[in-house]
């Protein structure tokens, strides 16, 4: 036979029926809030901002080519690209969507990079 969790009397315990219902409702609210927090944490931690990452992938030589790159904008469905000169070589870099890796092409000793 089931007993009241508060006083131990057999069910239905009319003295504590409201408090057990309230505790179930409160527990449901806590479980719902925890589930919402877990979903929000998962979604927000999955955001990728590769364009604002600091230099953290390799040691740096101290030589900084901070000159702006020429951006080549392509129509929707195609990857945009950027090009710039570095030490006489022309670099072409293209990301595909939000991929963390880029395609890189180098034109060695490009005559337009003087």
């Amino acid at each position: 036979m089931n007993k009241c969790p508060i006083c131990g009397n057999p069910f239905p315990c009319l003295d504590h029926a409201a408090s057990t219902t309230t505790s179930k409702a409160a527990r449901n609210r806590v479980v719902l809030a925890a589930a919402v927090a877990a979903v929000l944490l998962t979604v927000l931690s999955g955001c990728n901002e590769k364009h604002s990452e600091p230099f953290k992938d390799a040691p740096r030589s101290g030589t900084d080519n901070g000159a702006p790159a020429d951006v080549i904008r392509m129509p929707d469905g195609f990857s945009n690209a950027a090009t710039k000169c570095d030490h006489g070589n022309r670099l072409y870099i293209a990301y595909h969507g939000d991929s963390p890796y880029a395609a890189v092409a180098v034109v060695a000793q490009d005559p337009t990079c003087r």
Side-chain angles (χ1 to χ4, degrees):
M1 178 169 226
N2 291 333
K3 293 185 178 186
C4 175
I6 297 172
C7 65
N9 291 333
F11 276 134
C13 177
L14 299 177
D15 296 331
H16 301 107
S19 64
T20 57
T21 304
T22 304
S23 66
K24 285 182 182 180
R27 184 173 45 236
N28 288 343
R29 282 194 301 270
V30 169
V31 169
L32 180 63
V36 168
V39 168
L40 283 175
L41 182 64
T42 302
V43 169
L44 293 176
S45 67
C47 295
N48 182 3
E49 297 292 335
K50 69 179 176 198
H51 63 276
S52 64
E53 288 181 357
F55 294 107
K56 61 181 178 182
D57 57 347
R60 299 182 64 196
S61 66
T63 303
D64 187 11
N65 180 351
D70 296 325
V71 177
I72 304 166
R73 291 196 184 132
M74 299 297 287
D76 287 346
F78 294 92
S79 297
N80 293 336
T83 181
K84 72 186 298 183
C85 292
D86 188 47
H87 301 291
N89 303 310
R90 180 160 297 278
L91 306 170
Y92 289 93
I93 296 95
Y95 280 98
H96 182 69
D98 286 331
S99 174
Y101 301 103
V104 178
V106 177
V107 178
Q109 302 306 310
D110 186 347
T112 62
C113 294
R114 302 238 184 238

